[in-house]
Amino acid sequence: MQARKKVTVPTLVAMKAKQRRIVTVTAYDATFARLADAAGVDILLVGDSLGMVVQGHNSTIPVTIDDMVYHTRAVARGTQAAHLCADLPFLSASISPEKALMAAGRLVQEGHAESVKIEGGEDVAPAIERIVRAGIPVMGHIGLMPQSVHAMGGFRTQGKTEAAQQRIMADAKAVVAAGAFALVLEGIPADLAAQISAEVSVPTIGIAAGPHCDGQVLVIYDLLGMNPDFNPSFLKKYADLAGVITGAVRTYGDEVRAGDYPPPPVASPK
Ligand code: KIV
Protein backbone atom coordinates (compact mmCIF):
# COMPACT_ATOMS: atom_id res chain seq x y z
CA MET A 1 0.00 0.00 0.00
CA GLN A 2 1.18 3.54 -0.81
CA ALA A 3 2.31 5.63 2.17
CA ARG A 4 -0.09 8.43 3.08
CA LYS A 5 1.06 12.00 2.44
CA LYS A 6 2.04 13.91 5.57
CA VAL A 7 -0.76 16.14 6.88
CA THR A 8 0.68 19.61 7.51
CA VAL A 9 -0.76 22.88 8.79
CA PRO A 10 -1.24 24.19 5.20
CA THR A 11 -2.99 20.89 4.31
CA LEU A 12 -5.42 21.40 7.20
CA VAL A 13 -6.09 25.04 6.37
CA ALA A 14 -6.72 24.12 2.69
CA MET A 15 -9.23 21.44 3.75
CA LYS A 16 -11.68 24.15 4.86
CA ALA A 17 -11.71 25.74 1.38
CA LYS A 18 -12.09 22.29 -0.20
CA GLN A 19 -14.93 21.46 2.24
CA ARG A 20 -13.13 18.31 3.36
CA ARG A 21 -13.94 17.46 6.97
CA ILE A 22 -10.98 17.17 9.35
CA VAL A 23 -10.90 13.95 11.39
CA THR A 24 -9.21 14.29 14.77
CA VAL A 25 -8.78 11.86 17.65
CA THR A 26 -6.73 12.05 20.80
CA ALA A 27 -3.79 9.73 21.41
CA TYR A 28 -1.59 9.30 24.45
CA ASP A 29 0.85 6.55 23.49
CA ALA A 30 2.66 5.07 20.49
CA THR A 31 0.37 2.04 20.01
CA PHE A 32 -2.88 4.01 19.81
CA ALA A 33 -1.12 6.60 17.63
CA ARG A 34 0.03 3.90 15.19
CA LEU A 35 -3.47 2.37 14.97
CA ALA A 36 -5.27 5.72 14.53
CA ASP A 37 -2.71 6.93 11.99
CA ALA A 38 -3.22 3.70 10.01
CA ALA A 39 -6.98 4.43 10.07
CA GLY A 40 -6.29 7.68 8.19
CA VAL A 41 -7.02 10.36 10.79
CA ASP A 42 -5.86 13.87 9.89
CA ILE A 43 -4.83 15.04 13.38
CA LEU A 44 -3.60 13.16 16.43
CA LEU A 45 -4.14 15.37 19.46
CA VAL A 46 -2.21 14.66 22.63
CA GLY A 47 -4.97 16.14 24.76
CA ASP A 48 -4.56 16.97 28.42
CA SER A 49 -7.68 14.79 28.73
CA LEU A 50 -4.95 12.23 29.47
CA GLY A 51 -5.20 13.53 33.03
CA MET A 52 -8.67 11.97 33.22
CA VAL A 53 -8.57 8.90 30.95
CA VAL A 54 -4.95 7.81 31.54
CA GLN A 55 -4.02 9.22 34.95
CA GLY A 56 -7.46 8.84 36.57
CA HIS A 57 -7.92 12.42 37.83
CA ASN A 58 -11.37 14.02 37.79
CA SER A 59 -10.17 17.00 35.75
CA THR A 60 -7.31 18.02 33.46
CA ILE A 61 -5.92 20.49 36.00
CA PRO A 62 -3.23 18.25 37.57
CA VAL A 63 -1.55 17.57 34.20
CA THR A 64 1.95 19.09 34.02
CA ILE A 65 4.09 20.16 31.09
CA ASP A 66 6.41 17.22 31.91
CA ASP A 67 3.43 14.82 31.56
CA MET A 68 2.56 16.41 28.20
CA VAL A 69 6.14 16.16 26.90
CA TYR A 70 6.33 12.49 27.98
CA HIS A 71 3.08 11.49 26.23
CA THR A 72 3.77 13.62 23.14
CA ARG A 73 7.15 11.88 22.65
CA ALA A 74 5.41 8.51 22.87
CA VAL A 75 2.71 9.51 20.37
CA ALA A 76 5.34 10.93 18.00
CA ARG A 77 7.02 7.50 17.84
CA GLY A 78 3.77 5.98 16.53
CA THR A 79 2.81 8.82 14.16
CA GLN A 80 3.56 8.83 10.45
CA ALA A 81 1.16 10.83 8.27
CA ALA A 82 -1.17 12.48 10.77
CA HIS A 83 -0.48 15.99 12.02
CA LEU A 84 0.66 15.89 15.65
CA CYS A 85 -0.77 18.55 17.97
CA ALA A 86 -0.23 18.69 21.75
CA ASP A 87 -2.07 20.58 24.49
CA LEU A 88 -0.51 23.28 26.62
CA PRO A 89 -1.62 22.25 30.13
CA PHE A 90 -3.29 24.31 32.88
CA LEU A 91 -1.83 27.82 33.44
CA SER A 92 0.95 27.47 30.91
CA ALA A 93 -0.61 30.01 28.51
CA SER A 94 -2.10 32.47 30.99
CA ILE A 95 0.84 33.60 33.16
CA SER A 96 2.78 35.35 30.40
CA PRO A 97 3.43 35.05 26.66
CA GLU A 98 7.10 34.20 27.40
CA LYS A 99 6.13 31.33 29.74
CA ALA A 100 3.65 30.11 27.11
CA LEU A 101 6.38 30.15 24.48
CA MET A 102 8.74 28.17 26.74
CA ALA A 103 6.04 25.50 27.29
CA ALA A 104 5.16 25.37 23.58
CA GLY A 105 8.85 25.12 22.75
CA ARG A 106 9.23 22.05 25.00
CA LEU A 107 6.29 20.30 23.32
CA VAL A 108 7.82 20.89 19.90
CA GLN A 109 11.52 20.42 20.70
CA GLU A 110 11.36 17.57 23.26
CA GLY A 111 7.95 16.07 22.41
CA HIS A 112 8.18 16.44 18.60
CA ALA A 113 4.72 18.05 18.35
CA GLU A 114 4.04 19.92 15.11
CA SER A 115 1.63 22.38 16.69
CA VAL A 116 0.22 23.19 20.12
CA LYS A 117 -3.34 23.73 21.34
CA ILE A 118 -4.23 26.46 23.81
CA GLU A 119 -7.47 26.82 25.79
CA GLY A 120 -8.70 30.39 26.07
CA GLY A 121 -10.09 33.35 24.17
CA GLU A 122 -9.18 37.04 24.16
CA ASP A 123 -7.18 36.52 27.38
CA VAL A 124 -4.63 34.20 25.71
CA ALA A 125 -4.39 36.07 22.39
CA PRO A 126 -1.00 37.68 23.33
CA ALA A 127 0.40 34.20 24.13
CA ILE A 128 -0.86 32.82 20.82
CA GLU A 129 0.69 35.75 18.96
CA ARG A 130 4.07 35.24 20.68
CA ILE A 131 4.14 31.49 19.95
CA VAL A 132 3.08 31.92 16.32
CA ARG A 133 5.77 34.61 15.85
CA ALA A 134 8.33 32.07 17.05
CA GLY A 135 7.27 29.71 14.24
CA ILE A 136 5.07 27.30 16.21
CA PRO A 137 1.55 26.79 14.81
CA VAL A 138 -1.24 27.19 17.38
CA MET A 139 -4.71 25.65 17.50
CA GLY A 140 -7.18 27.58 19.66
CA HIS A 141 -9.82 26.02 21.96
CA ILE A 142 -12.88 27.98 23.08
CA GLY A 143 -16.38 27.39 24.47
CA LEU A 144 -16.27 24.68 27.14
CA MET A 145 -12.68 24.87 28.35
CA PRO A 146 -12.02 21.92 30.69
CA GLN A 147 -9.08 23.70 32.37
CA SER A 148 -11.65 26.27 33.63
CA VAL A 149 -13.93 23.60 35.13
CA HIS A 150 -14.12 25.35 38.52
CA ALA A 151 -15.02 28.71 36.98
CA MET A 152 -17.71 27.04 34.82
CA GLY A 153 -19.13 25.08 37.81
CA GLY A 154 -18.63 21.76 36.00
CA PHE A 155 -18.28 20.45 32.45
CA ARG A 156 -21.30 22.37 31.13
CA THR A 157 -22.44 23.55 27.73
CA GLN A 158 -21.39 27.17 27.23
CA GLY A 159 -23.08 29.97 25.26
CA LYS A 160 -26.57 29.57 26.61
CA THR A 161 -27.40 33.30 26.63
CA GLU A 162 -27.11 35.94 23.92
CA ALA A 163 -24.36 37.71 25.92
CA ALA A 164 -22.41 34.46 26.37
CA GLN A 165 -22.70 33.73 22.65
CA GLN A 166 -21.33 37.18 21.82
CA ARG A 167 -18.36 36.58 24.15
CA ILE A 168 -17.61 33.23 22.49
CA MET A 169 -17.79 34.81 19.03
CA ALA A 170 -15.41 37.58 20.22
CA ASP A 171 -13.06 34.89 21.59
CA ALA A 172 -13.11 33.06 18.25
CA LYS A 173 -12.23 36.23 16.36
CA ALA A 174 -9.47 37.22 18.83
CA VAL A 175 -7.83 33.79 18.67
CA VAL A 176 -7.90 33.76 14.86
CA ALA A 177 -6.61 37.36 14.69
CA ALA A 178 -3.73 36.31 16.96
CA GLY A 179 -2.69 33.75 14.34
CA ALA A 180 -4.30 30.42 15.27
CA PHE A 181 -4.50 28.07 12.27
CA ALA A 182 -7.52 26.13 13.60
CA LEU A 183 -10.04 26.36 16.39
CA VAL A 184 -11.56 23.69 18.62
CA LEU A 185 -15.17 24.54 19.51
CA GLU A 186 -16.24 22.52 22.54
CA GLY A 187 -19.62 22.30 24.23
CA ILE A 188 -21.47 25.13 22.49
CA PRO A 189 -24.86 25.20 20.69
CA ALA A 190 -24.76 23.87 17.12
CA ASP A 191 -26.07 27.11 15.61
CA LEU A 192 -23.35 29.16 17.31
CA ALA A 193 -20.70 26.68 16.07
CA ALA A 194 -22.17 27.01 12.56
CA GLN A 195 -22.01 30.80 12.76
CA ILE A 196 -18.39 30.80 13.98
CA SER A 197 -17.42 28.27 11.29
CA ALA A 198 -18.94 30.53 8.64
CA GLU A 199 -17.29 33.70 9.96
CA VAL A 200 -13.70 32.61 10.66
CA SER A 201 -11.15 31.87 7.95
CA VAL A 202 -9.58 28.88 9.73
CA PRO A 203 -11.02 25.37 10.16
CA THR A 204 -13.18 24.73 13.22
CA ILE A 205 -13.03 21.34 14.90
CA GLY A 206 -16.04 20.52 17.03
CA ILE A 207 -16.75 18.37 20.05
CA ALA A 208 -20.25 18.52 21.48
CA ALA A 209 -20.79 21.45 19.09
CA GLY A 210 -23.05 19.94 16.42
CA PRO A 211 -22.49 18.89 12.81
CA HIS A 212 -21.62 22.20 11.15
CA CYS A 213 -17.93 22.47 12.11
CA ASP A 214 -15.15 21.90 9.58
CA GLY A 215 -14.05 18.80 11.47
CA GLN A 216 -14.73 16.75 14.59
CA VAL A 217 -12.61 15.52 17.49
CA LEU A 218 -13.28 12.77 20.02
CA VAL A 219 -11.27 11.37 22.90
CA ILE A 220 -10.15 7.99 21.57
CA TYR A 221 -11.02 6.11 24.79
CA ASP A 222 -14.57 7.52 24.52
CA LEU A 223 -15.17 6.60 20.87
CA LEU A 224 -13.83 3.10 21.56
CA GLY A 225 -16.20 2.67 24.50
CA MET A 226 -13.54 2.18 27.18
CA ASN A 227 -15.71 3.68 29.96
CA PRO A 228 -19.24 2.22 30.28
CA ASP A 229 -20.14 5.00 32.77
CA PHE A 230 -19.37 7.89 30.39
CA ASN A 231 -22.36 8.44 28.12
CA PRO A 232 -22.83 12.12 27.20
CA SER A 233 -25.43 12.77 24.50
CA PHE A 234 -22.86 13.90 21.88
CA LEU A 235 -20.80 10.71 22.13
CA LYS A 236 -21.14 7.87 19.67
CA LYS A 237 -19.28 4.75 20.77
CA TYR A 238 -17.87 2.99 17.72
CA ALA A 239 -16.81 -0.08 19.73
CA ASP A 240 -17.28 -1.65 23.15
CA LEU A 241 -13.66 -2.12 24.12
CA ALA A 242 -14.54 -2.09 27.82
CA GLY A 243 -16.48 -5.31 27.25
CA VAL A 244 -13.86 -6.78 24.91
CA ILE A 245 -10.95 -6.04 27.26
CA THR A 246 -12.64 -7.18 30.47
CA GLY A 247 -13.93 -10.32 28.70
CA ALA A 248 -10.52 -11.21 27.27
CA VAL A 249 -8.70 -10.67 30.57
CA ARG A 250 -11.38 -12.69 32.41
CA THR A 251 -11.00 -15.58 29.95
CA TYR A 252 -7.21 -15.44 30.37
CA GLY A 253 -7.65 -15.52 34.18
CA ASP A 254 -10.07 -18.46 33.97
CA GLU A 255 -7.65 -20.41 31.75
CA VAL A 256 -4.65 -19.73 34.02
CA ARG A 257 -6.61 -20.83 37.10
CA ALA A 258 -7.87 -23.96 35.32
CA GLY A 259 -4.36 -24.85 34.13
CA ASP A 260 -5.46 -24.48 30.47
CA TYR A 261 -2.97 -21.70 29.69
CA PRO A 262 -0.23 -22.15 28.71
CA PRO A 263 -0.91 -25.42 26.85
CA PRO A 264 1.45 -28.35 27.36
CA PRO A 265 4.64 -28.03 25.31
CA VAL A 266 4.58 -29.72 21.91
CA ALA A 267 7.11 -32.57 21.89
CA SER A 268 10.01 -31.59 19.67
CA PRO A 269 10.84 -34.05 16.85
CA LYS A 270 13.83 -36.31 17.60
O1 KIV B 1 -7.80 17.35 25.97
C1 KIV B 1 -8.48 16.97 25.00
O2 KIV B 1 -8.57 15.77 24.70
C2 KIV B 1 -9.16 17.98 24.20
C3 KIV B 1 -10.10 17.54 23.11
C4 KIV B 1 -11.24 16.77 23.60
C5 KIV B 1 -10.49 18.67 22.25
O3 KIV B 1 -8.95 19.13 24.42
Side-chain angles (χ1 to χ4, degrees), residues 24-28 45-51 53 60 68 87 117 119 139 141 144 146-147 184-186 205-207 217-220 222:
T24 305
V25 294
T26 64
Y28 315 107
L45 171 67
V46 187
D48 62 355
S49 50
L50 69 87
V53 298
T60 59
M68 291 308 302
D87 265 350
K117 178 164 78 58
E119 283 184 24
M139 182 184 289
H141 181 154
L144 193 172
Q147 292 170 11
V184 167
L185 304 178
E186 178 165 359
I205 300 173
I207 174 164
V217 55
L218 282 177
V219 168
I220 196 152
D222 297 344

Side-chain angles (χ1 to χ4, degrees), residues 6-270:
K6 181 72 190 165
V7 180
T8 64
V9 165
T11 320
L12 294 166
V13 172
M15 284 174 77
K16 180 169 177 120
K18 293 180 189 158
Q19 297 186 339
R20 282 177 43 214
R21 293 253 164 93
I22 296 172
V23 179
T24 305
V25 294
T26 64
Y28 315 107
D29 65 31
T31 299
F32 274 86
R34 195 176 317 111
L35 295 171
D37 194 300
V41 301
D42 300 303
I43 302 177
L44 285 170
L45 171 67
V46 187
D48 62 355
S49 50
L50 69 87
M52 300 176 78
V53 298
V54 177
Q55 297 175 332
H57 297 295
N58 62 7
S59 82
T60 59
I61 290 173
V63 177
T64 66
I65 187 67
D66 287 339
D67 294 335
M68 291 308 302
V69 169
Y70 173 88
H71 285 279
T72 305
R73 281 172 82 91
V75 170
R77 289 186 202 109
T79 303
Q80 286 194 341
H83 175 77
L84 176 51
C85 181
D87 265 350
L88 281 193
F90 181 63
L91 282 192
S92 42
S94 49
I95 294 173
S96 74
E98 294 309 308
K99 282 223 158 82
L101 177 57
M102 295 296 289
R106 287 197 62 196
L107 291 175
V108 173
Q109 191 168 41
E110 298 172 43
H112 310 296
E114 294 154 352
S115 66
V116 299
K117 178 164 78 58
I118 298 183
E119 283 184 24
E122 289 176 312
D123 50 322
V124 296
I128 294 176
E129 230 173 277
R130 182 72 189 95
I131 295 168
V132 170
R133 248 194 303 127
I136 299 173
V138 175
M139 182 184 289
H141 181 154
I142 60 167
L144 193 172
M145 294 177 278
Q147 292 170 11
S148 304
V149 60
H150 298 313
M152 294 181 304
F155 298 103
R156 298 167 190 281
T157 301
Q158 301 296 297
K160 286 191 171 159
T161 63
E162 184 58 37
Q165 298 211 354
Q166 281 173 10
R167 271 198 307 276
I168 293 170
M169 179 60 87
D171 280 340
K173 290 187 171 164
V175 165
V176 174
F181 74 93
L183 192 52
V184 167
L185 304 178
E186 178 165 359
I188 60 172
D191 50 356
L192 176 60
Q195 203 189 333
I196 294 171
S197 302
E199 290 195 23
V200 299
S201 54
V202 303
T204 58
I205 300 173
I207 174 164
H212 306 299
C213 300
D214 302 304
Q216 294 290 327
V217 55
L218 282 177
V219 168
I220 196 152
Y221 285 28
D222 297 344
L223 83 87
L224 294 176
M226 305 273 269
N227 181 356
D229 300 326
F230 186 62
N231 297 296
S233 58
F234 70 85
L235 177 62
K236 177 170 177 185
K237 294 184 179 179
Y238 289 84
D240 170 26
L241 284 204
V244 170
I245 292 170
T246 305
V249 176
R250 184 175 292 123
T251 304
Y252 163 69
D254 289 347
E255 292 193 2
V256 168
R257 288 185 198 105
D260 293 338
Y261 179 84
V266 181
S268 48
K270 296 230 163 101

